[in-house]
Amino acid sequence: MAALVAAEAAAPPGPAEAAETSETAEAAELSRALSRLLPGLEADSKLGRRRALEALQRALEAAWPEAPDADPAAAAAAFQGPWARLLLPRLLRCLADPAEGCRALAVHLLDLGLRRAARPRDALPRLLPALAARLAGPESARGRPPEACEELRLALVQLLSLAVRLGGPALAPHLDDAVRALRCTLLDPFAAVRRESCECAASLARATPDHFHMQSESLIGPLMQSISHQHWKVRVAVTEATGTVIQFGSAKSVDDVLPHFAQRLFDDVPQVRQAVTSVVGGWLLDLRDRYSFFHKLIPLLLSSLEDDIPEIALAAANFWEKVGLQWQRENEDDLKDKLDFATPPPAHHPSPENRPMLGCRELVFRNLSKILPAVCHDLTDWVVGTRVKAAQLLVVLLLHAEDHMTQHLDVILRALHQACADEDSAVVSNCVRSAELIGAFVSPEVFLKLILSTLKKSPSPSSLLVLASVIRGCSREALQPHLKVIATELARPHICQGSENRLYGERVLLCVQTLVSVCQEDCRGCSLQLVEVLVTILAFSAATGLGDKVQETMDTLAAVQGIDGSQDLYQEHAGPLLERLAASHQDWTVHSVELLQFSVVLTHAGPALGGVLPQLVPALRSCLQPARDPQMRLRLFSSLSRVLLSAQQTVNSQGQFHHYLDTVTKDILVPSLQWHAGKTAAAIRTAAVSCLWALISSDILSEKQMREAQETLMPDVLTTLEEDSQRTRLISCQIINRFLKTSGGVADPEKFIKIYPELLKRLDDVSHEVRLAATSALVTWLACVPNDDGKAHYQSNIQFLYRELLVYLDDPEAAVQDAVLEVLKAGSILFPELLVRETEAVVEKHRSPAHCQQLLRYLQALPLAQ
């Protein structure tokens, strides 16, 4: 037996024993080399410690085999012992060295050692506390990290990340130290440290999935403090790290994170928004408690569908489709009927080819009651960007909800009524899209009940915009039974009479335009109500400037009914319109909306007025009496003048105006031509004179009617020659001239003789135009004097007229001299000898006898004078 043992002892070693012996030899050699260098780390001088560290670095690099056939595992095993026993403790103490260069070399050597050691996990119990001490010591509580150098803090965090990657699940006992360090480095002033810390936190979460949830919540606070960092790369890193921390940690933190994520959706940098989209999409797919957070996460992902960057919107759409498909598979039993008997898209779906899949629609529908209140609240937020995002999100939600939105319609409409009054156009345009979706998916019977009740209580531009948008989204067939109800509500005074505000008027007009556009010829049944609304808007067009748009809408309404234009609409509806308006004319004042509507019909109806004289004239007679509101009378006279200027195409279009001529002259014009004190009364007389001039110059009166009008109105017209208004005096001269031309002779000599003295006074008028108009009227008056035996009755008056007119041949105004000369020439045919004597008597008295001499030469050339 002894011999056998001796033989075995003398036998050569096998391969395994040889390798172990070699490793032991290498470890022993490395240990001896390190033992010679390590005392230098205790040197008092900074330079000595630095040289010792540099020598250690050279020794470690030389000890690592570089030959191609070298075995790295064997080298790592040989390195493990000296590293853990000798080098690691000394290097960790060097992390607190006063010299920055020494600390940097120590970190580098620790990094090198971790990478080369066979069992890096064995270093964690000593490495993690040391790193935590340098990154999160007592000074960090006062805002100053123990390690003052930024680059070194970055290197320490990178060393921590390396330890996390190499340690894996073995880090679980040391989570406290790692998390304590990260809580400080996540708030480091150096942006690169924060980014590296985010990556380290995410690695830590993935490395210790079974234990990380106990520590994850403590990282959320620092992460959320960094999520608004000024560097966008930090914001991206924080967002991605938060996603991983919560994914592998506690889902309780989702509520703390979501408000910050929502704010990052407004980030100016697309990469940040992309990161939020990716994280939220990942949570919806993989978060363990995702069903509990669907109503909070879905709005964030759907908001990204409307992002300005196409890539982000596309990524969000892909995530959303995956989420819907996954949920659909997980709930296939509940959705069996809907999957087996799939319903087609609604008939009026805005984009049936892009209809969301069933899983996505069901997810939105089932969470809509929880999502809507927050969206509606954000629609009234003080920040414009929040309101825009909320409006965009509401569009996406309603597109998914389809007819399921009906049960929430009251809440949605209240929010839209408020949001459509927003000052930002993007908010309003998205709310309009939402309202159109309501029209597409909800029965008109349902939404009209809610919208019209709001209009009845408090009509506003926003509620009218909602109504117009809902109508635009609705189909013609669905809307047809309710068309007259809508038109009747729009025509109600408290709704359509608010059109004096431009915005309100535009919205009322938009409702009419939308109705006409959607319903086309179906509008025939409510044409009267729509015309009434348009007339009301037109009544305020002077203040709103909507006249042209109203006229275009009127023409469109006529076109869809197959008639030529707006005049035919008035032809059809002028009678009922005037009948409704005239019912209250006893109470009209200048501020009455009905007066404005009446004026619109009066000035725009054109030929239709000829058929509504029985309603028109009595209303005019009542409103133009002297006892009524003076301003109202002025407005009506102005409108009436414009109508009478084209009477043949308006009030006399059917040749029936003569039946009402006595009413117009005796009951309307005569009372208004009579003198009353005050400037307002004078303005009314001017308006009445203008009306009379329009009437007699319109060529609708026969000679008999003109003589009757002259008989009735001439005395009052003569009194208006004394008016202060130059315009009144001028028109009165023209009226007298027209009356005299039409009469063609003298019916009543006494009344006829009273005319010329009044005209003669106007030759002294301050207005040059009035003086010339008076001379023209005198020419006509003289032409009316009979040139026969009966003229002797007028000789004394003619002689007086000659004398007065000769005075004006020496007038300072040459035009007046010429006009008076023409008057004398025209009147010379009556008593030429008398005019010669009168002229010769004054010729020498004039400053310039030229016109008198010219007159004498003219008289001498007359056959009678000769």
Side-chain angles (χ1 to χ4, degrees):
M1 179 64 70
L4 180 61
V5 171
E8 289 177 355
E17 289 81 356
E20 184 176 351
T21 302
S22 174
E23 291 173 8
T24 304
E26 291 179 7
E29 182 181 352
L30 181 59
S31 296
R32 286 192 297 271
L34 294 177
S35 297
R36 290 193 298 270
L37 299 174
L38 287 176
L41 297 180
E42 307 297 333
D44 293 335
S45 70
K46 175 176 66 174
L47 182 60
R49 296 192 303 275
R50 182 182 181 91
R51 285 176 176 173
L53 288 167
E54 290 173 347
L56 284 172
Q57 180 179 354
R58 288 193 296 272
L60 291 179
E61 291 174 350
W64 196 257
E66 297 183 0
D69 57 346
D71 184 4
F79 178 75
Q80 177 65 36
W83 153 255
R85 186 177 68 257
L86 299 174
L87 193 57
L88 180 62
R90 304 292 183 88
L91 291 177
L92 291 178
R93 286 200 297 271
C94 288
L95 291 179
D97 193 285
E100 182 179 312
C102 295
R103 298 198 303 275
L105 281 169
V107 172
H108 175 68
L109 290 173
L110 285 169
D111 182 275
L112 190 63
L114 276 180
R115 294 178 186 275
R116 292 185 175 182
R119 297 185 302 277
R121 299 178 181 181
D122 295 349
L124 297 179
R126 285 181 287 186
L127 178 62
L128 266 294
L131 291 177
R134 291 306 297 166
L135 293 171
E139 292 85 353
S140 63
R142 297 191 292 270
R144 298 194 305 272
E147 178 53 66
C149 177
E150 290 180 343
E151 287 77 8
L152 275 178
R153 291 200 303 276
L154 176 59
L156 287 169
V157 175
Q158 289 171 341
L159 182 60
L160 177 59
S161 297
L162 177 63
V164 169
R165 290 198 303 273
L166 297 176
L171 276 168
H174 313 290
L175 269 177
D176 286 347
D177 290 328
V179 170
R180 182 160 59 92
L182 289 174
R183 281 175 55 82
C184 294
T185 58
L186 284 170
L187 300 175
D188 197 276
F190 189 26
V193 173
R194 293 201 190 199
R195 292 203 306 272
E196 185 64 34
S197 300
C198 289
E199 295 178 8
C200 183
S203 299
L204 184 63
R206 285 189 288 266
T208 58
D210 296 332
H211 303 85
F212 185 72
H213 65 278
M214 295 184 289
Q215 295 286 344
S216 65
E217 293 183 47
S218 61
L219 291 176
I220 297 301
L223 283 169
M224 292 304 99
Q225 291 181 57
S226 295
I227 201 169
S228 57
H229 194 272
Q230 61 182 350
H231 291 185
W232 68 266
K233 291 184 179 180
V234 173
R235 300 197 297 275
V236 170
V238 169
T239 302
E240 294 173 345
T242 303
T244 306
V245 166
I246 291 180
Q247 180 71 44
F248 292 94
S250 173
K252 296 178 182 177
S253 303
V254 172
D255 289 333
D256 301 325
V257 168
L258 288 182
H260 299 279
F261 273 24
Q263 287 300 314
R264 288 308 98 210
L265 288 177
F266 299 98
D267 203 291
D268 294 332
V269 179
Q271 288 88 336
V272 178
R273 303 197 302 274
Q274 176 75 62
V276 174
T277 302
S278 299
V279 169
V280 172
W283 284 350
L284 283 169
L285 287 170
D286 302 321
L287 192 66
R288 285 190 293 271
D289 298 330
R290 61 184 180 277
Y291 276 58
S292 302
F293 298 102
F294 270 154
H295 65 285
K296 298 179 180 180
L297 296 175
I298 287 174
L300 295 182
L301 185 59
L302 294 186
S303 294
S304 296
L305 292 175
E306 296 291 326
D307 198 276
D308 296 335
I309 304 300
E311 291 77 7
I312 298 178
L314 180 60
N318 291 334
F319 271 117
W320 181 233
E321 186 175 353
K322 292 176 182 178
V323 170
L325 186 60
Q326 176 179 292
W327 186 87
Q328 185 174 305
R329 287 197 301 265
E330 293 171 349
N331 298 269
E332 193 168 356
D333 293 340
D334 293 344
L335 302 176
K336 182 173 177 54
D337 290 343
K338 294 182 179 180
L339 289 171
D340 293 342
F341 307 100
T343 57
H348 212 53
H349 195 288
S351 55
E353 67 281 357
N354 296 321
R355 187 189 189 194
M357 61 181 300
L358 178 62
C360 296
R361 301 200 307 273
E362 283 291 322
L363 265 177
V364 169
F365 162 57
R366 297 191 182 199
N367 292 278
L368 191 60
S369 60
K370 299 176 183 178
I371 298 174
L372 265 182
V375 175
C376 294
H377 177 269
D378 285 349
L379 281 173
T380 60
D381 195 88
W382 67 276
V383 179
V384 175
T386 303
R387 300 200 301 273
V388 173
K389 280 287 184 185
Q392 292 174 338
L393 176 58
L394 184 59
V395 175
V396 178
L397 290 173
L398 297 186
L399 188 62
H400 283 75
E402 295 184 354
D403 58 341
H404 294 298
M405 75 175 79
T406 305
Q407 58 187 292
H408 308 288
L409 196 58
D410 191 19
V411 175
I412 297 170
L413 286 175
R414 279 203 307 270
L416 290 179
H417 286 151
Q418 193 167 359
C420 281
D422 200 283
E423 296 177 354
D424 189 86
S425 59
V427 176
V428 176
S429 63
N430 281 289
C431 289
V432 166
R433 290 173 60 196
S434 296
E436 290 173 353
L437 292 175
I438 293 175
F441 297 134
V442 180
S443 167
E445 186 176 357
V446 177
F447 66 67
L448 286 177
K449 182 178 180 181
L450 295 171
I451 296 176
L452 295 182
S453 65
T454 302
L455 277 177
K456 289 178 182 178
K457 294 176 185 176
S458 55
S460 64
S462 59
S463 56
L464 288 166
L465 179 59
V466 171
L467 175 60
S469 304
V470 169
I471 292 172
R472 187 184 300 114
C474 195
S475 66
R476 175 180 173 181
E477 295 74 16
L479 202 59
Q480 197 275 335
H482 309 278
L483 186 55
K484 193 159 188 176
V485 173
I486 300 173
T488 303
E489 288 298 325
L490 289 176
R492 290 187 184 279
H494 76 285
I495 294 179
C496 68
Q497 290 183 7
S499 306
E500 56 187 325
N501 174 278
R502 178 177 175 85
L503 179 61
Y504 190 96
E506 286 177 342
R507 298 292 165 76
V508 176
L509 181 59
L510 181 61
C511 289
V512 177
Q513 291 171 335
T514 309
L515 274 176
V516 175
S517 173
V518 172
C519 298
Q520 297 292 316
E521 61 265 23
D522 293 341
C523 292
R524 187 184 303 277
C526 61
S527 179
L528 173 60
Q529 290 82 358
L530 296 180
V531 169
E532 186 174 354
V533 175
L534 293 174
V535 165
T536 305
I537 302 172
L538 198 57
F540 296 107
S541 60
T544 61
L546 296 175
D548 293 340
K549 292 183 178 179
V550 173
Q551 191 58 50
E552 291 175 8
T553 308
M554 195 84 77
D555 293 337
T556 304
L557 178 60
V560 298
Q561 296 183 59
I563 54 182
D564 292 338
S566 59
Q567 292 300 318
D568 288 345
L569 280 179
Y570 282 115
Q571 193 78 39
E572 185 176 348
H573 302 305
L577 283 174
L578 286 177
E579 189 173 345
R580 290 187 187 183
L581 294 172
S584 60
H585 73 269
Q586 297 291 347
D587 303 320
W588 289 357
T589 66
V590 70
H591 303 294
S592 300
V593 177
E594 292 81 3
L595 172 65
L596 299 177
Q597 294 171 307
F598 183 83
S599 299
V600 168
V601 176
L602 187 61
T603 54
H604 288 76
L609 292 178
V612 294
L613 293 176
Q615 294 90 13
L616 178 64
V617 176
L620 286 172
R621 179 180 58 192
S622 173
C623 293
L624 290 172
Q625 293 306 303
R628 299 300 296 273
D629 181 14
Q631 297 299 325
M632 177 184 70
R633 296 171 64 200
L634 279 174
R635 185 185 292 273
L636 280 177
F637 268 127
S638 176
S639 300
L640 185 58
S641 296
R642 293 198 296 272
V643 171
L644 291 176
L645 281 172
S646 55
Q648 197 64 48
Q649 290 78 40
T650 55
V651 291
N652 199 44
S653 61
Q654 299 184 15
Q656 300 299 312
F657 185 71
H658 63 276
H659 295 304
Y660 301 91
L661 184 59
D662 282 350
T663 302
V664 172
T665 54
K666 296 178 181 178
D667 297 338
I668 295 178
L669 294 177
V670 169
S672 298
L673 289 171
Q674 294 173 356
W675 188 89
H676 296 280
K679 292 183 178 180
T680 303
I684 291 174
R685 290 194 294 276
T686 300
V689 166
S690 299
C691 262
L692 176 57
W693 172 244
L695 176 63
I696 65 175
S697 61
S698 63
D699 298 328
I700 64 168
L701 302 183
S702 63
E703 291 185 6
K704 178 182 178 183
Q705 291 168 340
M706 186 71 82
R707 285 193 295 271
E708 292 173 352
Q710 176 182 347
E711 184 72 20
T712 303
L713 297 169
M714 182 63 86
D716 296 303
V717 174
L718 290 174
T719 62
T720 59
L721 289 171
E722 301 292 339
E723 290 288 338
D724 294 334
S725 168
Q726 178 261 339
R727 174 178 172 79
T728 306
R729 300 194 303 273
L730 176 62
I731 296 176
S732 297
C733 290
Q734 293 171 339
I735 291 172
I736 293 171
N737 194 1
R738 178 61 68 93
F739 275 155
L740 292 173
K741 286 181 178 179
T742 306
S743 64
V746 179
D748 187 338
E750 293 184 6
K751 293 181 179 180
F752 179 73
I753 290 175
K754 293 179 181 179
I755 296 174
Y756 85 89
E758 300 300 328
L759 294 173
L760 200 55
K761 293 178 186 178
R762 291 305 98 213
L763 294 181
D764 292 323
D765 201 280
V766 295
S767 168
H768 182 72
E769 293 180 357
V770 173
R771 298 176 74 190
L772 295 179
T775 59
S776 178
L778 283 171
V779 171
T780 307
W781 185 86
L782 287 168
C784 292
V785 176
N787 189 16
D788 53 23
D789 295 340
K791 68 180 180 180
H793 177 73
Y794 301 97
Q795 183 171 353
S796 60
N797 293 286
I798 299 299
Q799 183 177 5
F800 175 77
L801 181 58
Y802 284 164
R803 289 176 182 174
E804 293 298 319
L805 289 174
L806 286 170
V807 172
Y808 295 99
L809 285 181
D810 199 28
D811 194 89
E813 293 287 339
V816 174
Q817 290 177 329
D818 295 338
V820 170
L821 179 60
E822 294 304 318
V823 175
L824 289 170
K825 287 180 179 179
S828 64
I829 193 171
L830 298 174
F831 301 101
E833 298 89 350
L834 178 59
L835 181 55
V836 170
R837 291 196 302 271
E838 295 294 337
T839 304
E840 290 174 346
V842 300
V843 65
E844 300 298 333
K845 299 177 182 180
H846 285 193
R847 290 172 298 177
S848 173
H851 284 80
C852 289
Q853 293 171 354
Q854 184 178 348
L855 177 61
L856 287 173
R857 287 194 297 272
Y858 174 80
L859 293 172
Q860 290 171 1
L862 290 176
L864 293 177
Q866 294 174 351

